[in-house]
Amino acid sequence: MKLITVIIPAYNEEKALPMMFTRLDNLIKNNPKYDFEFLFINDGSRDKTLDILRKASETDPHISFLNFSRNFGKEIAVAAGIDHANGDAVVIMDADGQEPPELIPEMISWWEKGYDDVYAKRKTRAEGWFTRLTSWGYYRTIQLMTRIPIQVDTGDFRLFSRRAVLALRQLPETDRQNKALFSWIGYKKKSIDFEQQKRVAGKSRWSFWKRLNLAIDGITSFTIAPLRLATMAGVLVAFAAFVYIVVVIIQYFTGISRAEGYSTLLAVVLFLGGIQLIGLGIIGEYIGRIFNETKGRPLYLVERFHRAKIAREHSEKKSKELDQ
């Protein structure tokens, strides 16, 4: 029987977990042809999330949990889940109830047909208009900046084949944007639509600034297009300055009067200074990422890891088959 590992990052989700457990139990009952492991990544929660997961794992043989030493962020939590997932296929989804686990059987059916990355595309979003607009703009912007096809209007909710998971494990960069990495590895992809639901409890912890930082990380870690744009801007400004000098010389020798004054000079200096600062800022973003990578620190630290009974049995069975 094939094992499906479901990775579920969780940060302060004590109110949402009981409902999630119920829906996951129904997933098991309605799909007896597969074994399921539910791998929760506790990302340094400050509420009772860890206690709930610990108690649930004592009675439920399908629940695994990995507890970080502190909060490392969702992108790192997903990476940790991929590192520890031993399933024949791996699903990533959130713990807040917005992504329906009832869609997983359809994902599995497409995986059985040979697809390596079955990703869920949102037909509608539960967030406000500003979040929808900025998300729409971000995906289209990064798509214009790279030759690699980017899946637009998608999140982390998707299923990976085993070989896709092994490919992702080879990408250890610190500044991660998982959705860009999911596109980068390639392989055979399939899109399925779903209606994003409202959160079961609480509210999103993704503020505007967190989303902005994630967008910057995604662009600067996935493409050097901003550096090229800065170079092009410098070339255009230099060309414009050269043309202006030629015009000034012609005016001088032909006796044409020229507009002079402090305000004109100040405008030119401020414009050129702004272009230079933008260029330096872009270069600084990339240097900062080089600095983070050269430190060689681990992506995360694990305080405790509990492997579900059904996952341990599946691993032991595979080991015996290999020995034979």
Side-chain angles (χ1 to χ4, degrees):
M1 188 177 292
K2 295 179 180 178
L3 176 67
I4 311 297
T5 298
V6 183
I7 299 171
I8 309 174
Y11 177 68
N12 293 344
E13 296 289 358
E14 62 177 0
K15 296 180 180 178
L17 287 179
M19 179 64 72
M20 177 59 66
F21 290 154
T22 300
R23 298 174 76 176
L24 295 177
D25 286 340
N26 291 332
L27 178 65
I28 297 172
K29 295 175 183 177
N30 296 329
N31 298 274
K33 294 182 179 179
Y34 300 93
D35 284 332
F36 287 92
E37 175 196 14
F38 304 120
L39 174 55
F40 288 86
I41 313 297
N42 182 43
D43 187 20
S45 297
R46 299 179 181 179
D47 61 2
K48 297 180 180 179
T49 296
L50 178 59
D51 293 334
I52 294 173
L53 293 175
R54 185 185 293 114
K55 291 179 181 178
S57 66
E58 294 174 354
T59 57
D60 192 333
H62 298 273
I63 292 181
S64 301
F65 71 87
L66 185 153
N67 185 48
F68 280 165
S69 62
R70 64 170 177 84
N71 176 258
F72 284 91
K74 183 186 174 184
E75 301 296 298
I76 302 301
V78 171
I82 290 173
D83 288 342
H84 290 79
N86 289 334
D88 299 293
V90 174
V91 177
I92 303 171
M93 64 179 297
D94 291 338
D96 55 19
Q98 288 189 294
E99 298 165 345
E102 293 79 12
L103 194 65
I104 292 177
E106 183 178 353
M107 291 180 170
I108 294 174
S109 67
W110 286 110
W111 165 61
E112 293 283 19
K113 294 175 183 177
Y115 288 92
D116 296 287
D117 180 1
V118 184
Y119 60 94
K121 186 175 182 180
R122 295 177 289 244
K123 294 171 61 178
T124 58
R125 297 184 64 132
E127 295 95 342
W129 67 269
F130 183 74
T131 300
R132 295 197 299 269
L133 179 63
T134 52
S135 178
W136 181 91
Y138 165 72
Y139 282 116
R140 272 78 184 170
T141 299
I142 195 172
Q143 196 169 48
L144 289 173
M145 290 183 170
T146 178
R147 291 174 292 179
I148 300 172
I150 302 294
Q151 287 77 51
V152 299
D153 301 325
T154 63
D156 292 332
F157 188 28
R158 59 184 69 212
L159 177 146
F160 285 120
S161 67
R162 188 64 189 168
R163 69 172 180 174
V165 169
L166 295 177
L168 288 169
R169 288 181 181 177
Q170 299 179 52
L171 308 177
E173 53 254 51
T174 302
D175 294 304
R176 304 179 70 85
Q177 220 286 6
N178 287 323
K179 287 177 279 294
L181 297 179
F182 297 161
S183 300
W184 185 86
I185 64 171
Y187 293 119
K188 194 174 181 181
K189 300 182 182 296
K190 173 64 180 178
S191 169
I192 58 176
D193 295 333
F194 82 106
E195 300 283 348
Q196 188 180 46
Q197 303 171 3
K198 293 183 178 181
R199 291 179 60 91
V200 174
K203 60 181 180 179
S204 175
R205 296 165 185 86
W206 282 95
S207 65
F208 169 76
W209 293 111
K210 286 184 178 180
R211 293 178 186 273
L212 179 61
N213 288 332
L214 183 63
I216 293 173
D217 287 342
I219 293 173
T220 54
S221 64
F222 200 59
T223 175
I224 60 171
L227 290 174
R228 291 177 177 171
L229 290 175
T231 302
M232 292 173 60
V235 171
L236 290 174
V237 170
F239 178 75
F242 174 77
V243 172
Y244 179 72
I245 291 172
V246 172
V247 171
V248 170
I249 293 173
I250 293 174
Q251 288 177 338
Y252 176 79
F253 284 105
T254 57
I256 300 174
S257 61
R258 296 179 290 115
E260 298 179 354
Y262 174 77
S263 59
T264 303
L265 178 62
L266 180 62
V268 173
V269 171
L270 289 176
F271 174 73
L272 293 177
I275 293 293
Q276 291 173 338
L277 289 175
I278 291 173
L280 288 173
I282 293 173
I283 294 172
E285 287 287 341
Y286 283 93
I287 292 176
R289 275 145 185 76
I290 294 172
F291 172 69
N292 287 336
E293 297 298 333
T294 56
K295 287 186 290 188
R297 294 176 182 172
L299 286 179
Y300 54 87
L301 294 175
V302 178
E303 187 270 335
R304 182 182 176 186
F305 177 51
H306 169 78
R307 175 72 75 184
K309 179 182 177 182
I310 198 165
R312 293 198 305 269
E313 293 175 349
H314 187 268
S315 297
E316 292 172 359
K317 183 179 179 181
K318 272 196 168 183
S319 298
K320 291 179 180 178
E321 291 176 354
L322 291 174
D323 292 339
Q324 294 176 354

